[in-house]
Amino acid sequence: MTAQPATPEPAAPAKRAADAAAPAKAEPRQPLTRQQAQSALIAGAVAHTMFQAGWFAFGMSLAALVATALFGNIVGAFTRTLGGDDPGAVLRAIDGGSELLFWVVVSFLIGSAILIGLSVVVSGWMLSAAAVPSPWKRTWAAIGIAALVDIALFWVYVGIANLLTESQLAGPVLLTPVIALVGGILTGALLWWIVARPRRAKPATAPAATPAAGVALSAKKSAE
Protein backbone atom coordinates (compact mmCIF):
# COMPACT_ATOMS: atom_id res chain seq x y z
CA MET A 1 0.00 0.00 0.00
CA THR A 2 1.35 3.34 -1.06
CA ALA A 3 2.13 5.64 1.87
CA GLN A 4 0.41 9.01 1.81
CA PRO A 5 2.78 11.95 1.70
CA ALA A 6 2.99 13.87 4.94
CA THR A 7 1.16 17.15 5.01
CA PRO A 8 3.66 19.95 5.20
CA GLU A 9 3.44 22.10 8.30
CA PRO A 10 3.00 25.86 7.68
CA ALA A 11 5.97 27.97 8.29
CA ALA A 12 6.26 29.56 11.69
CA PRO A 13 6.05 33.18 10.43
CA ALA A 14 2.95 32.34 8.41
CA LYS A 15 1.32 30.72 11.46
CA ARG A 16 2.06 33.73 13.65
CA ALA A 17 0.63 36.08 11.03
CA ALA A 18 -2.53 33.96 10.79
CA ASP A 19 -2.94 33.99 14.57
CA ALA A 20 -2.53 37.75 14.59
CA ALA A 21 -5.21 38.12 11.93
CA ALA A 22 -7.73 36.12 14.00
CA PRO A 23 -10.24 38.13 16.10
CA ALA A 24 -8.89 38.86 19.58
CA LYS A 25 -10.97 37.70 22.52
CA ALA A 26 -11.64 40.18 25.31
CA GLU A 27 -10.50 39.13 28.74
CA PRO A 28 -13.35 39.07 31.29
CA ARG A 29 -13.09 41.72 33.99
CA GLN A 30 -12.37 40.61 37.52
CA PRO A 31 -15.42 40.59 39.81
CA LEU A 32 -15.50 42.64 42.98
CA THR A 33 -13.67 41.21 45.93
CA ARG A 34 -15.53 40.62 49.16
CA GLN A 35 -14.02 43.76 50.70
CA GLN A 36 -14.96 45.86 47.67
CA ALA A 37 -18.54 44.55 47.68
CA GLN A 38 -18.90 45.30 51.39
CA SER A 39 -17.45 48.78 50.92
CA ALA A 40 -19.88 49.45 48.06
CA LEU A 41 -22.81 48.39 50.23
CA ILE A 42 -21.68 50.57 53.15
CA ALA A 43 -20.87 53.51 50.87
CA GLY A 44 -24.31 53.28 49.33
CA ALA A 45 -26.07 53.07 52.68
CA VAL A 46 -24.19 56.07 54.11
CA ALA A 47 -23.88 58.28 51.03
CA HIS A 48 -27.43 57.71 49.81
CA THR A 49 -28.88 58.46 53.23
CA MET A 50 -27.04 61.78 53.20
CA PHE A 51 -27.98 62.48 49.59
CA GLN A 52 -31.62 61.56 50.11
CA ALA A 53 -31.93 63.85 53.13
CA GLY A 54 -30.28 66.70 51.27
CA TRP A 55 -32.28 66.02 48.09
CA PHE A 56 -35.63 65.98 49.89
CA ALA A 57 -34.69 69.05 51.94
CA PHE A 58 -33.55 70.84 48.78
CA GLY A 59 -36.84 70.18 47.02
CA MET A 60 -38.97 71.20 49.98
CA SER A 61 -36.83 74.29 50.66
CA LEU A 62 -37.09 75.33 47.04
CA ALA A 63 -40.87 75.00 47.17
CA ALA A 64 -40.97 76.88 50.48
CA LEU A 65 -38.76 79.60 49.02
CA VAL A 66 -41.17 80.16 46.17
CA ALA A 67 -44.14 80.16 48.57
CA THR A 68 -42.38 82.56 50.96
CA ALA A 69 -41.46 84.97 48.19
CA LEU A 70 -45.03 84.87 46.92
CA PHE A 71 -46.40 85.38 50.45
CA GLY A 72 -44.04 88.31 51.02
CA ASN A 73 -45.15 89.99 47.82
CA ILE A 74 -48.79 89.54 48.77
CA VAL A 75 -48.22 90.98 52.28
CA GLY A 76 -46.21 93.90 50.86
CA ALA A 77 -48.92 94.74 48.36
CA PHE A 78 -51.58 94.43 51.06
CA THR A 79 -49.75 96.72 53.50
CA ARG A 80 -49.12 99.35 50.84
CA THR A 81 -52.78 99.30 49.90
CA LEU A 82 -53.91 99.83 53.50
CA GLY A 83 -51.61 102.59 54.66
CA GLY A 84 -48.53 103.24 52.59
CA ASP A 85 -45.21 102.80 54.34
CA ASP A 86 -46.65 102.69 57.90
CA PRO A 87 -49.79 100.52 57.84
CA GLY A 88 -49.64 99.49 61.48
CA ALA A 89 -47.72 97.35 63.92
CA VAL A 90 -49.51 94.10 63.09
CA LEU A 91 -48.92 94.33 59.38
CA ARG A 92 -45.28 95.37 59.92
CA ALA A 93 -44.78 92.29 62.09
CA ILE A 94 -46.27 90.06 59.41
CA ASP A 95 -44.11 91.65 56.77
CA GLY A 96 -40.97 91.27 58.91
CA GLY A 97 -41.86 87.68 59.74
CA SER A 98 -42.17 86.81 56.07
CA GLU A 99 -38.72 88.26 55.42
CA LEU A 100 -37.23 86.30 58.30
CA LEU A 101 -38.87 83.12 57.02
CA PHE A 102 -37.40 83.82 53.60
CA TRP A 103 -33.84 83.85 54.94
CA VAL A 104 -34.48 80.75 57.07
CA VAL A 105 -35.59 78.87 53.96
CA VAL A 106 -32.53 80.12 52.06
CA SER A 107 -30.32 78.77 54.87
CA PHE A 108 -32.00 75.37 54.62
CA LEU A 109 -31.53 75.47 50.85
CA ILE A 110 -27.79 76.09 51.20
CA GLY A 111 -27.47 73.43 53.91
CA SER A 112 -29.19 70.82 51.77
CA ALA A 113 -26.88 71.61 48.85
CA ILE A 114 -23.86 71.17 51.14
CA LEU A 115 -25.25 67.82 52.35
CA ILE A 116 -25.61 66.63 48.75
CA GLY A 117 -22.01 67.62 48.04
CA LEU A 118 -20.80 65.78 51.14
CA SER A 119 -22.60 62.62 50.03
CA VAL A 120 -20.63 62.68 46.77
CA VAL A 121 -17.33 63.15 48.63
CA VAL A 122 -18.10 60.37 51.13
CA SER A 123 -19.08 57.91 48.39
CA GLY A 124 -16.03 58.64 46.26
CA TRP A 125 -13.69 58.41 49.24
CA MET A 126 -15.11 55.10 50.49
CA LEU A 127 -15.02 53.49 47.04
CA SER A 128 -11.48 54.77 46.48
CA ALA A 129 -10.34 53.37 49.81
CA ALA A 130 -11.65 49.94 48.79
CA ALA A 131 -9.89 50.16 45.39
CA VAL A 132 -13.15 49.95 43.45
CA PRO A 133 -12.42 50.72 39.78
CA SER A 134 -13.38 54.27 38.67
CA PRO A 135 -14.78 55.26 42.10
CA TRP A 136 -15.76 58.84 41.19
CA LYS A 137 -17.31 57.86 37.89
CA ARG A 138 -19.40 55.21 39.62
CA THR A 139 -20.31 57.67 42.37
CA TRP A 140 -21.72 60.18 39.91
CA ALA A 141 -23.58 57.42 38.09
CA ALA A 142 -25.17 56.23 41.35
CA ILE A 143 -26.02 59.80 42.40
CA GLY A 144 -27.67 60.50 39.05
CA ILE A 145 -29.79 57.36 39.24
CA ALA A 146 -30.68 58.03 42.88
CA ALA A 147 -31.84 61.58 42.06
CA LEU A 148 -34.46 60.17 39.70
CA VAL A 149 -35.42 57.16 41.83
CA ASP A 150 -35.82 59.20 45.01
CA ILE A 151 -38.49 61.43 43.46
CA ALA A 152 -40.73 58.39 43.02
CA LEU A 153 -39.69 56.86 46.35
CA PHE A 154 -40.68 60.00 48.23
CA TRP A 155 -44.33 59.48 47.32
CA VAL A 156 -44.01 55.77 48.07
CA TYR A 157 -42.77 56.60 51.57
CA VAL A 158 -45.66 59.03 52.11
CA GLY A 159 -48.16 56.44 50.86
CA ILE A 160 -46.79 53.74 53.15
CA ALA A 161 -46.91 56.10 56.13
CA ASN A 162 -50.54 56.96 55.39
CA LEU A 163 -51.41 53.28 55.15
CA LEU A 164 -49.87 52.53 58.54
CA THR A 165 -51.81 55.21 60.40
CA GLU A 166 -55.01 57.20 59.97
CA SER A 167 -53.58 60.25 61.71
CA GLN A 168 -52.94 63.16 59.38
CA LEU A 169 -50.05 64.27 61.60
CA ALA A 170 -48.36 60.99 62.48
CA GLY A 171 -48.40 59.74 58.90
CA PRO A 172 -46.82 62.48 56.79
CA VAL A 173 -44.85 64.18 59.57
CA LEU A 174 -43.65 61.47 61.95
CA LEU A 175 -43.65 58.15 60.10
CA THR A 176 -42.47 59.33 56.69
CA PRO A 177 -38.93 60.31 57.87
CA VAL A 178 -38.52 56.94 59.61
CA ILE A 179 -39.67 54.98 56.56
CA ALA A 180 -37.52 57.17 54.31
CA LEU A 181 -34.47 56.48 56.50
CA VAL A 182 -34.91 52.70 56.29
CA GLY A 183 -35.75 52.80 52.60
CA GLY A 184 -32.82 55.10 51.86
CA ILE A 185 -30.34 52.76 53.51
CA LEU A 186 -31.62 49.69 51.67
CA THR A 187 -31.98 51.46 48.31
CA GLY A 188 -28.55 53.05 48.54
CA ALA A 189 -26.78 49.82 49.46
CA LEU A 190 -28.39 47.96 46.55
CA LEU A 191 -27.89 50.78 44.04
CA TRP A 192 -24.23 51.39 44.87
CA TRP A 193 -23.51 47.64 44.79
CA ILE A 194 -25.07 47.33 41.33
CA VAL A 195 -23.19 50.36 39.98
CA ALA A 196 -19.89 49.19 41.48
CA ARG A 197 -20.07 45.79 39.78
CA PRO A 198 -17.73 45.47 36.78
CA ARG A 199 -19.34 45.52 33.39
CA ARG A 200 -18.81 42.75 30.84
CA ALA A 201 -15.96 43.67 28.54
CA LYS A 202 -16.75 44.13 24.85
CA PRO A 203 -14.95 41.88 22.33
CA ALA A 204 -11.90 43.52 20.88
CA THR A 205 -12.07 44.61 17.25
CA ALA A 206 -10.16 42.36 14.88
CA PRO A 207 -7.18 44.06 13.20
CA ALA A 208 -7.43 44.87 9.53
CA ALA A 209 -6.34 41.94 7.36
CA THR A 210 -3.20 42.51 5.31
CA PRO A 211 -2.29 40.63 2.12
CA ALA A 212 0.46 38.77 3.98
CA ALA A 213 -1.95 37.79 6.74
CA GLY A 214 -4.49 36.60 4.17
CA VAL A 215 -1.93 34.39 2.45
CA ALA A 216 -0.79 33.02 5.83
CA LEU A 217 -4.37 32.26 6.84
CA SER A 218 -5.01 30.41 3.59
CA ALA A 219 -1.85 28.40 4.09
CA LYS A 220 -2.95 27.49 7.62
CA LYS A 221 -6.38 26.35 6.44
CA SER A 222 -4.80 24.26 3.68
CA ALA A 223 -2.47 22.69 6.20
CA GLU A 224 -5.41 21.76 8.43
Side-chain angles (χ1 to χ4, degrees):
M1 184 167 51
T2 307
Q4 296 292 333
T7 303
E9 292 291 335
K15 185 176 181 180
R16 286 196 298 269
D19 293 338
K25 295 182 179 180
E27 296 182 359
R29 298 185 182 182
Q30 295 296 328
L32 294 177
T33 63
R34 182 176 181 180
Q35 181 181 2
Q36 290 174 337
Q38 291 177 350
S39 297
L41 292 172
I42 297 175
V46 176
H48 182 252
T49 301
M50 297 173 61
F51 172 79
Q52 180 180 257
W55 187 237
F56 289 167
F58 184 85
M60 289 185 289
S61 299
L62 190 62
L65 182 63
V66 175
T68 303
L70 181 61
F71 176 73
N73 292 333
I74 293 175
V75 170
F78 184 65
T79 54
R80 286 191 298 270
T81 301
L82 287 181
D85 296 334
D86 190 15
V90 176
L91 295 178
R92 284 199 304 270
I94 295 176
D95 197 5
S98 64
E99 183 177 357
L100 177 62
L101 181 61
F102 174 82
W103 289 111
V104 170
V105 173
V106 169
S107 301
F108 273 99
L109 197 65
I110 296 174
S112 61
I114 294 175
L115 191 60
I116 291 174
L118 287 177
S119 68
V120 176
V121 174
V122 168
S123 173
W125 175 76
M126 294 184 70
L127 294 181
S128 299
V132 175
S134 304
W136 295 103
K137 181 179 179 180
R138 297 176 188 274
T139 291
W140 284 112
I143 290 292
I145 297 173
L148 298 176
V149 172
D150 286 343
I151 296 176
L153 287 180
F154 173 79
W155 299 108
V156 173
Y157 299 149
V158 174
I160 295 175
N162 288 331
L163 289 176
L164 294 178
T165 178
E166 296 180 356
S167 174
Q168 297 298 324
L169 177 64
V173 178
L174 301 179
L175 282 182
T176 299
V178 177
I179 297 174
L181 176 62
V182 177
I185 292 174
L186 297 178
T187 302
L190 179 61
L191 178 59
W192 259 250
W193 177 75
I194 293 175
V195 172
R197 294 179 62 188
R199 300 294 181 267
R200 182 177 298 177
K202 296 181 179 179
T205 305
T210 60
V215 173
L217 186 60
S218 300
K220 183 178 180 181
K221 289 182 177 180
S222 300
E224 295 175 351

